[in-house]
Amino acid sequence: MKIAEIAQLLTVTDPPLHFSAYDGSSFGPADAQIQLHLHNERGLRYLATAPGDLGLARAYVSGDLTLDGAHPGDPYEALRVLGDWRFRRPTPKEATELVKALGLRNLVPPEPPEQESLPRWRRTVEGLRHSRTRDAEAIHHHYDVSNAFYELVLGPSMAYTCAVFPKPDASLEEAQEEKFDLVARKLGLEPGMTLLDIGCGWGGMVRHAAKHYGVKTLGVTLSAEQAKWARAEIERQGLQNLAEVRHSDYRDAPGENYDAVSSIGLLEHVGVGNYPAYFGFIKDKLRDGGRLLNHCITRPDNKQRALPGYFIDRYVFPDGELTGSGRIIAEAQNAGLEVRHEENLREHYALTLKYWCENLERNWDDCVAEVGEATARVWGLYMAGSRLGFETNGIQLHQVLAVRVADGGNASFPLRPTWLS
């Protein structure tokens, strides 16, 4: 049985693309916009032996499976079409026939691409999940790729979180500026205040608070490369008297009685089981009336398992975990913080990812020269797939604003939101 015949046997409806394989077989409309081609036996073995989306990712990242009609820097249209391809499980009789047709050799998994992280159960060599050493390794895997690569993809802001678009045709830089300013306004920042920014990345919020609000800001990040870049940019902009970034675990952040804490894109790395300690830590850092703004990716409900799909866990965010905004709000409340406002910005993240993919496609040759084609393919696949996830409500982005209430109930909070004016 030819490879395309196997795919056709298990396809439920007419394929939305054209599929071809190295054995000369093919099926699907020859004039389809998206052409999926399997180049070799290794790619077949990836597809046949890995669960979920992992086999497809392995074959694509290694170049054994290619998508004609879609740029690898922005395979959004291809992924949208692939999402319409419906398969069924083979019957027991068909499964036996398929094993014979494939042969035992093709049921032995090849070595995965070098960009792939170990499965969770094998990462214990780095420590227990969300231990300090293992968290540091997970952050290193994702964020210490190359500062030059991130500059090409993220643009001048070096902001690697959801932007906020004040209008549909706003530029990415305008939207990232608006995101930082929205956080500042929600936190009620004023000159002379202190801000702790945990998981500060390349220091965008740190610089914004210092430059535009006169706030003394400390940022901490587990990425050595991020800290190095952020410190250089702070010095370049002459903000050393107000802004500082340290290479540190957020749990080691010094000081107390902060006027505000911002956490932009950190909670995804903390682990749901560690939420009580996380929110307890933040409460202890705040003065009475001090505010927290938590900005993170979430599930659309609170019932799904927290662990991500195979591709995201192995290639993008090792040990990452997501849950619904309800769980986040509940844990913040249980830690003694009062939640005053929350909003969902998922459409804004879809737009953000669209811009990032456009940057990757436009700067493809330079990105490949910086990190290699396989890693660049990982990023195109991850960002385009995430864009689809936000558009279809598979994932969301929530900002939760909370406050440490003083004894007696004084939250030092206005009667109506002031950040909307």
Side-chain angles (χ1 to χ4, degrees):
M1 185 181 295
K2 295 282 191 176
I3 295 171
E5 292 174 344
I6 295 174
Q8 187 170 14
L9 174 69
L10 300 178
T11 297
V12 175
T13 58
D14 292 336
L17 46 71
H18 182 260
F19 172 77
S20 58
Y22 63 90
D23 64 356
S25 62
S26 66
F27 89 111
D31 60 347
Q33 177 186 352
I34 303 300
Q35 306 273 330
L36 183 66
H37 183 66
L38 182 64
H39 289 271
N40 52 45
E41 183 183 87
R42 184 179 65 177
L44 176 63
R45 291 168 64 194
Y46 279 141
L47 294 175
T49 60
D53 57 4
L54 188 57
L56 181 69
R58 286 173 170 172
Y60 180 76
V61 168
S62 65
D64 299 335
L65 185 72
T66 55
L67 289 163
D68 294 333
H71 192 281
D74 187 8
Y76 169 80
E77 285 299 327
L79 295 181
R80 188 179 60 79
V81 170
L82 278 169
D84 294 330
W85 197 357
R86 297 289 181 265
F87 293 93
R88 64 173 177 83
R89 291 181 178 275
T91 65
K93 181 179 179 182
E94 288 172 337
T96 301
E97 293 174 351
L98 291 178
V99 169
K100 291 180 180 178
L102 288 171
L104 292 179
R105 172 178 169 77
N106 286 323
L107 297 178
V108 177
E111 282 294 314
E114 64 178 17
Q115 288 73 22
E116 183 173 319
S117 177
L118 292 171
R120 290 193 176 218
W121 64 271
R122 291 184 59 192
R123 294 176 203 156
T124 52
V125 67
E126 299 153 2
L128 296 175
R129 182 150 36 114
H130 299 302
S131 64
R132 291 171 183 253
T133 54
R134 185 156 157 180
D135 278 352
E137 180 58 32
I139 294 301
H140 169 73
H141 176 89
H142 187 71
Y143 293 101
D144 290 345
V145 175
S146 158
N147 283 335
F149 172 77
Y150 278 109
E151 288 175 347
L152 291 166
V153 175
L154 303 181
S157 72
M158 285 293 274
Y160 184 37
T161 53
C162 173
V164 175
F165 289 79
K167 53 185 179 179
D169 60 347
S171 70
L172 177 60
E173 289 309 302
E174 289 172 335
Q176 291 293 9
E177 184 83 359
E178 173 62 18
K179 182 266 300 296
F180 289 130
D181 206 68
L182 178 62
V183 172
R185 298 196 306 268
K186 286 183 174 180
L187 290 172
L189 297 184
E190 296 178 356
M193 283 185 169
T194 55
L195 169 68
L196 174 63
D197 186 33
I198 54 178
C200 69
W202 288 271
M205 185 65 210
V206 172
R207 296 192 304 278
H208 189 92
K211 183 176 182 180
H212 297 287
Y213 286 85
V215 171
K216 188 170 182 61
T217 307
L218 172 64
V220 294
T221 173
L222 262 180
S223 167
E225 290 301 307
Q226 286 182 333
K228 178 182 177 182
W229 192 97
R231 286 194 291 263
E233 186 63 14
I234 287 170
E235 184 173 351
R236 189 186 73 81
Q237 294 190 24
L239 299 171
Q240 305 95 312
N241 61 323
L242 287 175
E244 180 186 359
V245 167
R246 297 185 184 182
H247 175 215
S248 169
D249 191 295
Y250 81 90
R251 290 162 286 198
D252 294 327
E256 56 188 14
N257 292 319
Y258 285 93
D259 295 297
V261 173
S262 53
S263 176
I264 306 174
L266 172 64
L267 193 61
E268 299 93 328
H269 302 288
V270 167
V272 175
N274 293 322
Y275 283 7
Y278 167 83
F279 285 110
F281 166 86
I282 291 173
K283 182 188 176 186
D284 290 343
K285 288 293 180 182
L286 289 168
R287 63 163 173 82
D288 287 344
R291 300 182 192 179
L292 159 70
L293 190 287
N294 194 91
H295 167 121
C296 71
I297 301 171
T298 64
R299 300 277 190 201
D301 59 55
N302 300 283
K303 299 180 293 186
Q304 299 181 55
R305 63 197 295 264
L307 302 184
Y310 290 104
F311 168 67
I312 292 294
D313 182 62
R314 299 283 186 91
Y315 284 88
V316 186
F317 293 115
D319 291 338
E321 295 182 25
L322 301 179
T323 188
S325 59
R327 177 71 180 272
I328 293 168
I329 290 171
E331 295 288 1
Q333 292 171 327
N334 291 343
L337 295 167
E338 182 182 30
V339 173
R340 303 297 304 235
H341 185 270
E342 76 85 31
E343 65 176 313
N344 183 1
L345 299 170
R346 71 175 177 87
E347 292 88 355
H348 293 261
Y349 217 154
L351 280 172
T352 305
L353 286 154
K354 176 179 180 291
Y355 276 103
W356 288 345
C357 282
E358 289 175 357
N359 286 344
L360 178 57
E361 180 176 353
R362 182 171 55 255
N363 299 310
W364 180 254
D365 290 343
D366 290 336
C367 287
V368 169
E370 185 65 30
V371 299
E373 184 170 356
T375 297
R377 280 177 173 269
V378 168
W379 280 83
L381 187 62
Y382 145 60
M383 293 192 299
S386 296
R387 176 187 169 188
L388 270 173
F390 284 108
E391 288 180 345
T392 59
N393 199 29
I395 44 178
Q396 301 176 349
L397 187 289
H398 280 263
Q399 286 192 348
V400 174
L401 179 63
V403 61
R404 174 171 174 158
V405 180
D407 293 342
N410 183 11
S412 302
F413 216 85
L415 291 175
R416 297 297 301 155
T418 57
W419 54 86
L420 301 177
S421 58

